Amino acid sequence: MKEYFHSVVLDKHKCNGCTNCMRKCPTEAIRIRDKKAVITKDRCIDCGECIRVCPYHAKDVIVDDLSVLKNYKYNIAISPMSLYGQFSVDTDMNKVFSGIKALGFDCVFDEGLSADVLTIAIRNILKSNNLQKPVISSFCPAVLRIIQVRFPSLIDNIIEVESPMEVGARIVKTKAMKEYGLDFNDIGVFYLAQCPARVTSINRPIGIRSSYINGAMSIKSIYGDIVKNAKKVQKDEEYMRASPKGVGWGRAGGQSYAIGVENYLAVDGIEHVIKVLEEIELGKLSNIDYFEGLACIGGCVGGPLNVENPFIAKARIRNIARTSEKCDFLNNEFINEILAQGLINWTEKITPKGVMTLDDDIAKAIKKIEMLNQIRKELPGTDCGSCGAPSCNALAEDVVRDKAKIEDCIFILKEKIREKEKYGGKL
Ligand code: SF4
Ligand code: SF4
């Protein structure tokens, strides 16, 4: 099977094998081997939970630095909705955008604007009677990946529209090509990322063949310079800015609120999302119209590459979203043009990733399940983690997959040693 690309990486020198990440990983993608964490690539959904919980900062994200801007004639920064939550509500965001521009960009695009476009597009799609309920939001790439990996039967529930990040890149790149007569490859589009899931989705997009985005910088790595630059801004520049509801997509529930769907369920935190997806899979939530699942606590404001406390950032965005300003730029003509250009819809079917199945051959898979159940019975069920797997069940699976031995369990090992001693060293 082809390896997934993923943006979360481990610095082995910093890792001290403490097992925090292994215990918290929602897909059981981490093992401890030789006192170091090891990530199983095809299981990782880049949710960033391991980055958040590592006390030694041994997990990081592969992002670009600003030197890549020299590779393009014209550079565009896409500023995420969550950036609004990183500054106090009385901050002049035009100055912040100028601070971003001064990093070396020619243009800054507010991702909330494309959230505004998607708000209207999704509202229209939800009017159709032929939708599998609940319709699942396609906004969070970590949630899309967990559906591919663990809940493939729910793929048809996902609404087939691109994320605001991608739609924004398409709008702004197309516009720059038209206005300045530049070639597609002359323009660099960079996302100011709040999470590894977005970085991965630039490199391995879901639902489209390739992304219009050329790379990403983490908010954390450039925040200090943005603040410094913003303080020095001389000339007041006005940027095209999102409506308060568009900005609201940056917090959990903001997307459903903007769309105006009444019967929705918004859930944040990957573990909670998984529990709700289990319920949906069992057919228990077909009375819900729209499910907005977000991997991070609080929504994108909780992304591990942000700087502000997610609860504070969420409250700020909620306050912004409550104001009733309209977005002038969103007239029907503009939306129709975007829709006509096909800048919103997915073009590729998303496929299940059967990394959780034990074997592609059904007969062999059944045998392996029997073996797994047998091994599970032998293990103590304490989920102590000292074998280097997050649970007894995960160790049993590793044994069936030939990636571990049952004696990695210290209880089994001790029992075997006792037995050996009992029979005078012979077993
Ligand atoms: S990013 Fe998420 S899925 Fe990947 S190893 Fe870390 S915790 Fe696990
Ligand atoms: S909730 Fe937002 S920040 Fe968190 S993983 Fe999903 S897209 Fe990224």
Side-chain angles (χ1 to χ4, degrees), residues 6 8 21 24-30 39-40 43-51 59 196:
H6 72 121
V8 176
C21 61
K24 277 289 183 182
C25 173
T27 58
E28 297 194 328
I30 300 177
I39 301 173
T40 311
R43 277 190 173 223
C44 173
I45 58 164
D46 289 295
C47 65
E49 198 60 30
C50 53
I51 299 177
K59 299 275 192 335

Side-chain angles (χ1 to χ4, degrees), residues 46-47 52 139-143 194-198 294-296 299-304:
D46 289 295
C47 65
R52 259 185 227 106
F139 178 55
C140 175
V143 172
Q194 70 284 63
C195 68
R198 289 257 172 254
L294 299 159
C296 299
C300 291
V301 287

Side-chain angles (χ1 to χ4, degrees), residues 336-390:
N336 290 340
E337 199 187 315
I338 306 274
L339 292 173
Q341 287 176 35
L343 296 180
I344 284 175
N345 295 332
W346 279 355
T347 49
E348 310 280 308
K349 265 268 159 244
I350 77 165
T351 49
K353 304 279 177 208
V355 296
M356 302 289 184
T357 49
L358 291 172
D359 206 297
D360 290 341
D361 180 318
I362 300 227
K364 283 186 190 163
I366 292 172
K367 275 218 155 110
K368 286 185 179 174
I369 291 171
E370 284 166 8
M371 209 172 137
L372 180 91
N373 289 336
Q374 186 52 42
I375 296 169
R376 238 188 325 220
K377 275 186 208 153
E378 289 176 40
L379 293 171
T382 48
D383 296 339
C384 69
S386 45
C387 60

